[in-house]
């Protein structure tokens, strides 16, 4: 079993009010290595909280997350950053590239923080750059790039550590439809090469590129769809139908 | 070493972020160094009234240190705010909070060293320059300022303490801001500020006390200490005014529904509320700086212009020959010897004798003086200079006839003036 989520609960108590919000209630699912899973839900459904817990950025109130037999919800704060660096890759909605670093240095950042040797960094980038079509961008500064280019650089930064799992939080939300398509095709391509990806999104088009879609509502996973060999368009139609009938439309 | 390198790169690569902070620390360091150098330098002993200058400079130093703490920590918090995103990214991509704190530590240490070097150079150059202006203003002729090592050490020590405070800020910020703030909405909406009633009351109280102190000062001796306290109170009061009172007033306006829900008040009040919350300290900084500039300008000009007048009054004749000693007859003899030896033309001279005692006295409403005072206060002390009535009249004063054993008390340090007499001393 690659990733196992058991009875995950999370409740928030905001600092300024006494009310408790139940963000996740009894979430269970299993993911196999090499899957491309999309988690879909409206805003406030708990999908971002779920991603944050998988990313070890938040601790669950109860329940556990097991990645390759290791309970990640019990890792100590001191070791968490290291764990994230070695096992997880992140793609954010708004890219989060550092403007003060060149594109190349942005991609190297996690390796630099992990104290890799320069030769190793260069070797990995050389293998990775053509796949993501960013060879010409390496010497530029982030502000010179378009949104789509920025997100490809961010994907490179996520992939360069050879993570077990890529976590993507609404990666297409800040992109236009052409760049969105490009990015999703890229995700499909790296997934085909064996990379496990977990993506949170509220766009059915984005989700239609995944191999499996989990639907989350009011903090619970209540439905899932497998692609099962369908084309993107067919799968998209299925997802839309599911949303309309199950969520009551969006 | 790794974190040191990373910190160095951070400063180099995001110099545009660091430069305002560096500018703030360096200039405040230089100003503090200038004042402490003037206050502690041995060169000051060459000047008349060195002790007074020293005391004043030390008061100034205390205020500048207070101000440095505020300005430097303000600019550092501004820098930190810009970098929470960067820190968050480090945290997600593989550094734990302790590592990030280490980077901050090196960054601060490097900024400190840069501040130290640049600030010392600037401070020493400008203290020499300002000393020249200062000596010129007070009409001295000793123009060489020797560097005071204790002054430099004191400044370094003060700034080491300030940087330790900054490190504390950094640690709190890093601890409080989790990596999650990155994934969440970056433009996290700011919470509406709270009422701040206590702050407002404190602010108004402090300003009231400060202005009362400043306006109620009687004599110059009392003024020194009271004025210092008043200045410190005004500075703190002004900050609280901006941080507390503005918010308090705006909140009250917002609470008043019939006032708030009008097109001309609705948007201005609500946006002012948030703007004041983020910019209060900056605005207070500007206010205090402007006030300081005004005060400095006004007093310098007043002093400088006033000096001419005082000199003209104090030395009505071109030449003033004075011999001082305990025995009047010996003094007179010495003066005569001097006049004969130097062949001084005494045809227009107005000789007089005087002796001075430091004592206390008081004058009641009927212009009757009591010597010593009944219950002496600080302002009752003064240097009393005794001159015979005949000498005073010869010097050009218009005085009433005196009975024997009577004296007139005249206000001022100046002998020849159309003096207004303020009291009679009997016996």
């Amino acid at each position: 079993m690659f990733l196992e989520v058991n009875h995950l609960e999370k409740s928030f108590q905001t600092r300024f009010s006494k009310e408790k919000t139940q963000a996740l209630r009894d979430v269970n699912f299993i993911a196999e290595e090499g899957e491309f899973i999309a988690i879909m839900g409206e805003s406030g459904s708990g999908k971002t909280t779920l991603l944050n817990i998988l990313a070890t950025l938040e601790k669950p109130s109860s329940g556990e997350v097991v990645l390759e037999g290791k309970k990640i919800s019990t890792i100590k704060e001191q070791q968490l950053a290291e764990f994230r660096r070695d096992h997880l890759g992140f793609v954010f909605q708004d890219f989060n590239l550092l403007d003060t670093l060149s594109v190349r240095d942005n991609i190297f950042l996690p390796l630099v923080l992990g104290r890799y040797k320069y030769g190793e960094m260069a070797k990995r980038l050389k293998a990775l750059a053509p796949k993501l079509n960013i060879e010409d961008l390496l010497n530029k500064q982030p502000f010179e790039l378009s949104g789509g280019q920025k997100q490809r650089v961010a994907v490179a930064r996520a992939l360069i550590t050879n993570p077990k799992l890529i976590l993507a939080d609404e990666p297409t939300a800040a992109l236009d439809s052409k760049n969105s398509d490009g990015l999703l095709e890229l995700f499909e391509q790296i997934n085909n090469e064996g990379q496990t990806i977990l993506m949170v999104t509220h766009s059915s088009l984005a989700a239609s590129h995944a191999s499996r879609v989990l639907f989350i509502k009011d903090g619970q996973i209540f439905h899932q769809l497998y692609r099962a060999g369908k084309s993107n368009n067919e799968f998209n139609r299925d997802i839309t139908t599911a949303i309309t009938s199950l969520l009551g439309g969006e | 070493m790794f974190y040191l390198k990373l910190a160095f790169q951070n400063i180099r690569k995001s110099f545009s972020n660091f430069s305002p902070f560096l500018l703030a620390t360096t200039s405040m360091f230089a100003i503090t160094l200038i004042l402490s150098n003037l206050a502690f330098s041995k060169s000051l002993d060459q000047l008349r009234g060195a002790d007074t200058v020293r005391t004043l400079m030390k008061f100034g130093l205390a205020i500048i240190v207070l101000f440095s703490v505020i300005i430097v920590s303000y600019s550092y918090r501004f820098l930190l705010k810009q970098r929470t995103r960067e820190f968050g990214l480090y945290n997600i991509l593989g550094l734990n909070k302790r590592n990030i704190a280490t980077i901050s530590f090196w960054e601060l240490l490097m900024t400190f060293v840069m501040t130290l070097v640049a600030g010392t150079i600037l401070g020493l150059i400008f203290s020499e320059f300002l000393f020249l202006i200062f000596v010129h203003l007070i009409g001295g002729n000793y123009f060489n300022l020797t560097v005071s090592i204790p002054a430099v050490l004191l400044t370094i020590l003060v700034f080491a303490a300030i940087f330790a405070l900054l490190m504390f800020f950094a640690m709190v910020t890093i601890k409080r801001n989790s990596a999650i703030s990155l994934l969440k909405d970056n433009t996290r909406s700011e919470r509406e500020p709270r009422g701040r009633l206590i702050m407002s009351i404190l602010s108004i109280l402090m300003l009231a006390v400060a202005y009362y102190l400043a306006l109620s000062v009687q004599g110059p001796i009392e003024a020194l200490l009271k004025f210092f306290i008043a200045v410190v109170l005004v500075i703190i009061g002004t900050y609280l005014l901006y941080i507390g009172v503005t918010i308090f007033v705006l909140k009250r306006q917002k609470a008043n529904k019939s006032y708030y829900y009008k097109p001309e008040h609705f948007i201005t009040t609500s946006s002012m509320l948030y703007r004041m919350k983020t910019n209060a300290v900056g605005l207070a900084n500007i206010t205090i700086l402007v006030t300081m500039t005004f005060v400095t300008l006004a007093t310098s000009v007043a002093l400088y212009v006033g000096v001419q007048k005082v000199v003209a009054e104090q030395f009505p004749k071109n030449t003033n020959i004075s011999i001082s000693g305990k025995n009047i007859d010996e003094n007179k003899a010495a003066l005569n010897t001097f006049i004969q030896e130097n062949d001084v033309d005494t045809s227009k001279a107005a000789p007089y004798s005087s002796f001075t005692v430091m004592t206390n006295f008081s004058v009641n409403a009927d212009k009757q003086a009591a010597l010593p005072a009944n219950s002496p206060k600080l302002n009752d002390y003064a240097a009393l200079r005794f001159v015979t009535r005949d000498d005073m009249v010869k010097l050009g004063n218009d005085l009433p006839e005196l009975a024997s054993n009577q004296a007139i008390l005249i206000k001022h340090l100046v002998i020849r003036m159309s003096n207004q007499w303020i009291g009679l001393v009997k016996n």
Side-chain angles (χ1 to χ4, degrees), chain A residues 12 15-16 48 51-52 55 57-58 77-82 84-85 90-98 100-102 105-106 109-110 112-115 157 169, chain B residues 1-3 6 9-10 13-17 85-99 103 176 178-180 182-186 188 191 194:
Chain A
F12 288 107
R15 227 193 317 173
F16 314 113
T48 302
L51 189 82
N52 284 344
L57 296 171
E58 266 179 65
E77 172 67 34
Q78 286 296 320
Q79 278 104 49
L80 268 182
E82 208 174 306
R84 284 196 287 266
R85 184 182 69 214
F90 292 88
V91 179
F92 305 99
Q93 175 178 336
D94 43 9
F95 326 126
N96 280 317
L97 301 177
L98 290 181
T100 51
L101 299 178
S102 71
D105 290 353
N106 262 296
L109 184 63
V112 173
L113 297 181
R115 301 177 190 225
R157 182 181 64 192
D169 184 21
Chain B
M1 271 325 268
F2 170 71
Y3 298 111
L6 208 62
Q9 281 209 344
N10 279 343
K13 296 219 165 158
S14 54
F15 196 72
S16 54
N17 285 347
R85 189 188 165 93
E86 193 178 328
F87 284 159
L89 200 58
Y90 286 156
N91 196 207
I92 288 180
L93 296 182
L95 289 183
N96 62 35
K97 288 183 175 177
R98 193 176 294 172
N99 301 144
I103 294 177
R176 208 190 290 153
S178 60
I180 196 97
L182 250 184
L183 283 185
K184 276 188 186 162
D185 194 6
N186 267 310
R188 199 173 7 157
R191 191 166 50 95
R194 292 183 191 208

Side-chain angles (χ1 to χ4, degrees), chain A residues 9 30-31 36 46 64 68 89 144 147 186 194 213 220 222 225 227:
Chain A
E9 305 254 350
I30 287 168
F36 179 5
E64 56 177 25
E68 289 197 313
E144 297 175 81
L186 184 66
V213 182
Q220 275 177 310
F222 70 99
L225 283 178
R227 172 192 287 270

Side-chain angles (χ1 to χ4, degrees), chain A residues 2 6-7 9 14 30 50 65 70 82 91 105-106 126 139 166 169 176 182 197 208 215 217 226 237:
Chain A
F2 180 69
N6 293 326
H7 306 290
E9 305 254 350
T14 46
I30 287 168
L50 177 59
V65 178
K70 192 177 164 84
E82 208 174 306
V91 179
D105 290 353
N106 262 296
K126 206 177 169 195
N139 292 320
I166 291 264
D169 184 21
D176 58 36
I197 301 173
S208 68
F215 296 89
K217 189 185 183 183
Y226 282 90
R237 208 175 309 129

